[in-house]
Every structure is written in C-alpha cells, then in structure tokens.
Amino acid sequence: MHEHAKGVVEVARSPWRKDVAMFLIASFFFWLSLFIYMPILSPYVEQLGGAYSFVGLVLGSYGLMQFVCRIPIGLVSDMVQRRKPFVMLGMAAAMGSGWLFALTNSLGGALVARALAGVAAATWVVFTVLYASYFRSEDTHRAMGQISLVVVLAQLVGMTAGGSIVDRWGWHAPFWAGGCLAAVGAVLSVSIKESNQSKGSVRPQTVQLKDLFSVMKEPLLLKVSVLSVLAHGIMFTTIFGFTPAYVLKAGLDERDLGFLMICFMIPHAIATVFIGKTVVPLFGKWRSLVIAFFGSAVFTFLIPVAGGSWLVYPVQIGSGFFLGLLFPLLLGMSIESVDESQKATAMGTYQAIYAIGMFGGPYLAGIVNELIALPFAFYFAGTLGLVAIGLIVVWKQKEEETKGDKMIV
C-alpha cells in the first residue's frame, strides 16, 4: 500500500476518532455557554444599577482571572500529567458562571460570576494540549485549525442568539442557557479520554517554569505581547464590552444585537484568511500591523458617530475585519523568534500577558465613562490603536538605527 494512503487509513482507524468528535462537540458547548450572554452583559450589569466603572470591573474580571490562573493551571497540569480533570474544572466553572448570573440580582454576584467565566477560559490552554495529544505531531496544525474553527462557530452562534433570547424570554434567560449548555458540555466531557501519548503523537506541553523567565526576555515576544494587550483592550472595550450597551441606549432593540454581532463576527473570521494570503505577502508583517491597528482605531472612533442608526452595521463590519487581521498575525509573531523547545512556554506567556488587555481595557474605559460620558469609552479604545502604531514606528526606527550603527562599526 502507498505510504500516504496507509497513513490515511491509520488515522481513520485511530482509537481516538470518537474521542476527537466528542471533544469537539464538548468544546463547542463550552464556548457557546460563555458567549451566549456576552451581547447583553454590559447592559445587564448597568440595569442592575452598576456604575460604568463597576461595569468595566465586571467585564475586566474575565481577563484578570485568565492572567492570574492560566500559567498556574498549565504548570499543575504538566506536573501531574493529567488533562481531563482540568477540562472538567473548566466546564464546571462555566456552568457555575451562567447559573450564578441567573440566580443573582446583585452586583457582587455578577462580579463573581464573570470572574468564574475567566477561570473557565483559563483552562482552555489544557483543552488544546489534550486535543493535540490525539494526533501525531505532523497533524498538530490541522488539529489546532479544527479546534479554532469550533471556537469561532461557538462565538458566532452564541453572540448571534444572545440578543434574541433576551428579547423573547428576559434578561436572565441567556444566563440560564449558558449554565445549561455548560452542563451538557460537562456531561460530554466525562466520556473524554486521556491520551497515553502513543509513539509519534505530539508531546503534551503547556508552560514550563524553567523556561519562563528566559522566554520573557525575548524582545520580539515582549513587543508583540504589548501590542496584543492593546488589541485585546480595543476588543474587550468595544464589541465584548460597551458597544451593546451604547447601541441599546442609542435606539437599537435587544433583537437587533444578533445582527450587530453577525456584522462583526463574520468579517472577523474572513480576515484570518486575508492576513496570511494577501495582506502580509503584500505589505509585510509590521506594515500589516500598522494597517490593522489604524483601521481598528478609525472604526472604533466611528462607533459614537454611528450611534443607533443603520451606520452602526457597516462600522461593525469594518471593526470586525481589521481586528480580525490583528490577532492571527500577533499570534504567529509571538513564537516566531523562539526556539522550538520553548514555543509552548512562549505561547502560554503570550496568552497570559494579553489577558491584561482583557482586564485593563474595559476597566479603564468604565472609569472614563463614569468621569465623562459613555461615548468616551470608544475614544479611549481608538486611542489604544494609535498608541500601538506609535510604538511600532518607534521600535522600527530604533531597529534601523541599530542596523546603521553596526554597519558603521
């Protein structure tokens, strides 16, 4: 039998085939449970009586808990060489988050519930390691592509459905739905099996403590991580933050939020294709980052201009597309200059650092809102994009000066 055909047959007969399907389905329910209430989260906390600064704190607690928990979870998982318990922990935290939101009408309960969602999201690093362990090392990229697609689909379905659910069944309905969806994921995760890491499969790896400090000294990783903090700050201040609350105040209805999310998420997904096949080959990585940050800043500044009119939809299309260009490019650059043996550590470090943007963006924007007015959250977020462009220009200038000095010597 031809070697390639033989390999295909071996994969098809893999004992992990059912586990792969079960894992993907469980992962879909996991992310669906976390995103189904995202479109109404900021207006809901505001409806409970939360000031803008507290709304920002609730939104930001998701990123803060990822920053605090992501690396320790990876380290402990590596230490005990177990993945499934952490997958189930993530499911339980997601379930607790949804049901706590549904059962409480207090601001403190909302803060704890959102923090639990952050703990759940922090376990995702172990999800990806376990899923990769079902595949041979040469199939790792395909495996990551599959699981990334599941995440995007879950986010799209959840954010599209959330607004309609509120319009039909009330504010608490998306939270009940989130808890129930996570419960389904938890039941499915019981049947997920640990991989024995058979010969030829990718070695499970998250964050190695011994490599952590050396990796954090890598200049490109640090620069890209700072840019990712700013990019996540924009994202979690706008579409995952105050945009839904603002457009509802400006005249849209809860049922309009679904279409608003579609306008953002579909271009966001499409952009991931353009960045690798068109934008980077044409402009290069750093110029592509400047273009993406500039587009993100412009469309963020336009959100208050669009208000509750039909213009908010093309603005979200532009915002979704340019932010969609940013994240895969930053992700790839984060491990570009790191040795192969330290790539997992670099990725874990990068993911932990950019969580600062998930927290700091909405929290600081909430304070700005309270001191001035709600539209200024978007002026703040747009400014983050301009700051990123400024940093890139300064870094490239210093790099050119360093090269010039070396040539003189």
Side-chain angles (χ1 to χ4, degrees):
M1 184 183 292
H2 191 275
E3 190 66 30
H4 176 70
K6 184 179 178 181
V8 171
V9 172
E10 286 175 356
V11 170
R13 291 176 180 171
S14 169
W16 302 113
R17 183 174 56 180
K18 291 182 180 178
D19 297 294
V20 165
M22 186 64 70
F23 194 98
L24 290 176
I25 296 169
S27 297
F28 178 83
F29 278 99
F30 174 73
W31 284 110
L32 185 59
S33 73
L34 292 175
F35 274 82
I36 198 163
Y37 57 76
M38 275 300 296
I40 58 96
L41 182 56
S42 60
Y44 172 72
V45 177
E46 193 178 342
Q47 183 254 347
L48 287 179
Y52 286 133
S53 58
F54 191 83
V55 175
L57 180 62
V58 171
L59 295 171
S61 63
Y62 176 79
L64 179 62
M65 295 309 295
Q66 288 192 61
F67 175 70
V68 171
C69 297
R70 192 185 294 264
I71 289 178
I73 286 173
L75 286 169
V76 175
S77 176
D78 274 347
M79 196 180 302
V80 300
Q81 281 297 293
R82 295 290 304 279
R83 315 299 175 190
K84 182 175 175 178
F86 296 93
V87 170
M88 298 189 71
L89 170 66
M91 293 291 187
M95 184 170 59
S97 173
W99 284 347
L100 182 56
F101 266 124
L103 291 169
T104 185
N105 282 310
S106 71
L107 292 172
L111 178 60
V112 174
R114 190 57 181 159
L116 265 177
V119 174
T123 65
W124 184 245
V125 64
V126 180
F127 275 73
T128 56
V129 168
L130 177 55
Y131 188 67
S133 71
Y134 293 146
F135 294 81
R136 296 173 302 182
S137 57
E138 59 265 33
D139 294 322
T140 304
H141 289 296
R142 180 168 63 88
M144 293 300 99
Q146 290 173 353
I147 203 164
S148 296
L149 178 61
V150 166
V151 174
V152 171
L153 288 175
Q155 290 176 341
L156 178 60
V157 172
M159 295 188 71
T160 302
S164 300
I165 292 173
V166 169
D167 186 56
R168 184 168 297 184
W169 290 296
W171 284 106
H172 282 115
F175 302 119
W176 282 116
C180 291
L181 289 165
V184 173
V187 171
L188 293 174
S189 68
V190 171
S191 61
I192 289 174
K193 295 178 181 177
E194 294 266 10
S195 169
N196 291 324
Q197 289 303 296
S198 56
K199 187 177 180 181
S201 65
V202 66
R203 190 175 81 85
Q205 205 174 33
T206 50
V207 180
Q208 304 299 311
L209 187 60
K210 61 184 174 62
D211 296 328
L212 188 58
F213 295 108
S214 63
V215 163
M216 289 180 69
K217 295 177 184 177
E218 175 58 42
L220 181 60
L221 173 61
L222 289 175
K223 289 175 183 177
V224 171
S225 297
V226 169
L227 294 177
S228 194
V229 167
L230 296 171
H232 281 84
I234 298 171
M235 173 87 90
F236 279 79
T237 298
T238 55
I239 195 68
F240 292 163
F242 290 100
T243 299
Y246 178 71
V247 298
L248 289 178
K249 281 183 177 295
L252 265 63
D253 295 322
E254 285 84 0
R255 62 178 175 271
D256 297 323
L257 291 179
F259 185 60
L260 188 79
M261 299 303 164
I262 289 174
C263 287
F264 181 91
M265 292 300 296
I266 290 180
H268 191 72
I270 291 172
T272 61
V273 177
F274 278 89
I275 190 65
K277 293 186 176 180
T278 305
V279 182
V280 170
L282 194 60
F283 299 104
K285 293 171 186 175
W286 289 103
R287 284 195 181 94
S288 297
L289 282 176
V290 170
I291 292 168
F293 271 115
F294 181 76
S296 300
V298 168
F299 282 103
T300 301
F301 284 131
L302 287 175
I303 294 173
V305 177
S309 71
W310 63 270
L311 289 171
V312 73
Y313 299 116
V315 167
Q316 288 307 302
I317 290 172
S319 179
F321 180 79
F322 282 104
L323 283 171
L325 293 177
L326 277 175
F327 294 111
L329 180 53
L330 290 169
L331 184 66
M333 291 176 70
S334 69
I335 57 174
E336 187 177 285
S337 60
V338 179
D339 291 337
E340 191 66 34
S341 62
Q342 295 183 319
K343 285 189 186 296
T345 304
M347 183 63 71
T349 304
Y350 170 74
Q351 291 176 354
I353 292 174
Y354 74 54
I356 296 171
M358 296 180 182
F359 168 70
Y363 179 61
L364 294 175
I367 294 174
V368 170
N369 288 344
E370 195 165 321
L371 292 175
I372 311 174
L374 181 54
F376 282 83
F378 308 110
Y379 301 143
F380 166 77
T383 303
L384 295 180
L386 299 182
V387 170
I389 293 171
L391 289 173
I392 292 170
V393 170
V394 170
W395 290 336
K396 294 308 290 179
Q397 188 175 358
K398 286 185 176 180
E399 187 179 299
E400 288 173 4
E401 289 174 357
T402 303
K403 287 180 180 178
D405 291 341
K406 287 181 179 179
M407 288 179 66
I408 292 172
V409 173

